[in-house]
Amino acid sequence: MHFPNRRLRRYRVSEGIRNLVSEVYISPKKLMYPIFVWDGATEEIKNLPEQFRWNISDKNLYKFLEKLIQHGLESILVFGVATEKDKEGSLGWRDDGVVQRFVKYVKKEFPELVVATDVCLCTWREDGHCGVAKDGKILNDETLDYLAKISLSHASSGADIVSPSDMMDGRVKSIRSALDKAGFENTLIMSYSVKYASYLYGPFRDAARSAPAFGDRKTYQIAPSQLREAILEAQLDSEEGTDILMVKPALFYLDVIKELRQKFQLPISAFNVSGEYSMIKIAISQGVFDEKVIMELFTSIFRAGTDILISYFVPDFLRVKIQ
Ligand code: PBG
Ligand code: ZN
């Protein structure tokens, strides 16, 4: 008589056993929450349900942050939204810019909170491009000084991590040397190393009011077909001195996370972007599936090999409601 091996059944026999053998264990310490701040009135973002453009004087913002921190949140990624724009995008690096004022305040109120800031030109420039644009073209090298200036002003305001999302070649090096020269050797760079030209950023562009006025971002972001090119991008950023490699979006690009995990020793972050959030959030709200799908989503991205997960689902995951 042949007896089958029942080992796999034993692994699944109870919740306690399933937890013990679980290959992925998610801690709030590994999560980063993206947050939009501006000088306009607080308002919910269209197509990004339950996410807000917060006025930085809004008490509810700090109550909300406090609750998230009580539930274990340890880091945020800050996006400034412009109420005013100009040709160069100078509000991006002004000491009294909205990101700079918010970071100063939040580091004073919550000194332990790790604050990362998105560094880019698109929300501040009239033309909505991530780089300096002239005659319909994006000028790579001309953009680098501006990104360094923005990074420096964020670091001076107290940001722990600066996160360039523009995809210009050479920006990590230029930001690193500007930071070091000014004495910010301990400020980390988390570069959006592998940023695909994705339609999943749709809701974000509305949120950050950063849609390009002409053309698209395909001349600087990676085409969805490219895996080897993604590795080259990560390689360059790693050589230039990035501290953390980011992959973005996450869900359609899990293979890319896995590939980078195998090829690089640097920490990896994955950005579960606005469109990924919206499609699942809206489906949950319509009863298409149970909200436990959020755990499955997070698990899949960690299983692919990320160290850090950036997601708009963090409040849902931590069971924190606004108000
Ligand atoms: C802009 C930027 C984008 C996102 C982060 N920074 C959009 C874009 O490149 O058009 C997307 C984030 C999201 O969709 O949640 N530099
Ligand atoms: Zn940009």
Side-chain angles (χ1 to χ4, degrees), residues 120-122 130 165-166 195 217:
C120 206
L121 287 172
C122 52
C130 303
S165 63
D166 52 283
K195 182 175 180 185
R217 304 212 204 288

Side-chain angles (χ1 to χ4, degrees), residues 260-287:
L260 293 200
R261 175 70 297 146
Q262 286 161 357
K263 293 223 158 45
F264 296 89
Q265 308 308 318
L266 293 172
I268 293 173
S269 64
F271 199 147
N272 176 220
V273 300
S274 58
E276 300 173 60
Y277 169 81
S278 294
M279 62 182 163
I280 295 172
K281 185 76 181 176
I282 291 165
I284 293 171
S285 72
Q286 303 204 348

Side-chain angles (χ1 to χ4, degrees), residues 36-230:
F36 297 93
V37 294
W38 77 332
D39 286 319
T42 298
E43 58 192 26
E44 193 171 10
I45 297 161
K46 178 175 150 245
N47 295 334
L48 213 52
E50 293 174 32
Q51 304 299 320
F52 292 77
R53 267 192 292 260
W54 291 98
N55 179 283
I56 63 165
S57 310
D58 188 338
K59 296 262 179 306
N60 290 326
L61 164 58
Y62 302 99
K63 276 193 211 147
F64 181 47
L65 269 177
E66 189 170 22
K67 257 195 276 174
L68 287 167
I69 293 167
Q70 281 163 358
H71 283 73
L73 184 73
E74 295 189 4
S75 75
I76 58 173
L77 174 59
V78 179
F79 289 95
V81 181
T83 36
E84 256 176 85
K85 298 168 185 257
D86 64 19
K87 283 212 159 43
E88 284 197 301
S90 69
L91 253 65
W93 59 81
R94 271 185 24 195
D95 280 343
D96 61 348
V98 67
V99 174
Q100 290 80 355
R101 280 179 281 129
F102 174 67
V103 171
K104 266 179 225 157
Y105 186 74
V106 91
K107 287 299 291 186
K108 190 165 76 115
E109 292 293 299
F110 309 106
E112 304 301 321
L113 187 69
V114 174
V115 175
T117 54
D118 185 87
V119 170
C120 206
L121 287 172
C122 52
T123 189
W124 314 110
R125 282 178 64 89
E126 277 166 7
D127 63 25
H129 274 290
C130 303
V132 173
K134 222 178 185 173
D135 306 327
K137 285 211 173 61
I138 306 298
L139 306 178
N140 188 90
D141 299 7
E142 283 76 350
T143 304
L144 302 181
D145 278 348
Y146 291 105
L147 297 170
K149 269 210 296 215
I150 297 174
S151 302
L152 200 53
S153 80
H154 290 180
S156 320
S157 310
D160 303 284
I161 304 178
V162 291
S163 198
S165 63
D166 52 283
M167 290 300 281
M168 299 303 128
D169 288 339
R171 88 261 208 222
V172 172
K173 193 171 171 200
S174 126
I175 292 170
R176 185 73 270 158
S177 85
L179 290 175
D180 289 352
K181 240 185 263 161
F184 294 104
E185 294 92 348
N186 292 334
T187 306
L188 283 82
I189 300 178
M190 173 170 75
S191 61
Y192 288 64
S193 305
V194 177
K195 182 175 180 185
Y196 285 94
S198 174
Y199 289 100
L200 295 170
Y201 308 147
F204 174 94
R205 290 188 187 164
D206 184 60
R209 309 166 107 214
S210 67
F214 63 85
D216 52 39
R217 304 212 204 288
K218 287 181 185 160
T219 62
Y220 42 104
Q221 300 181 347
I222 311 174
S225 55
Q226 305 305 83
L227 177 60
R228 295 196 300 266
E229 206 176 308

Side-chain angles (χ1 to χ4, degrees), residues 249-310:
L251 218 41
F252 292 0
Y253 301 89
L254 293 175
D255 58 321
V256 181
I257 298 172
K258 186 168 181 191
E259 190 78 16
L260 293 200
R261 175 70 297 146
Q262 286 161 357
K263 293 223 158 45
F264 296 89
Q265 308 308 318
L266 293 172
I268 293 173
S269 64
F271 199 147
N272 176 220
V273 300
S274 58
E276 300 173 60
Y277 169 81
S278 294
M279 62 182 163
I280 295 172
K281 185 76 181 176
I282 291 165
I284 293 171
S285 72
Q286 303 204 348
V288 177
F289 29 72
D290 193 280
E291 68 176 357
K292 293 200 182 72
V293 74
I294 299 168
M295 182 53 109
E296 183 179 347
L297 164 75
F298 278 22
T299 302
S300 72
I301 301 169
F302 279 108
R303 193 190 58 236
T306 198
D307 299 291
I308 302 162
L309 174 58
I310 305 163

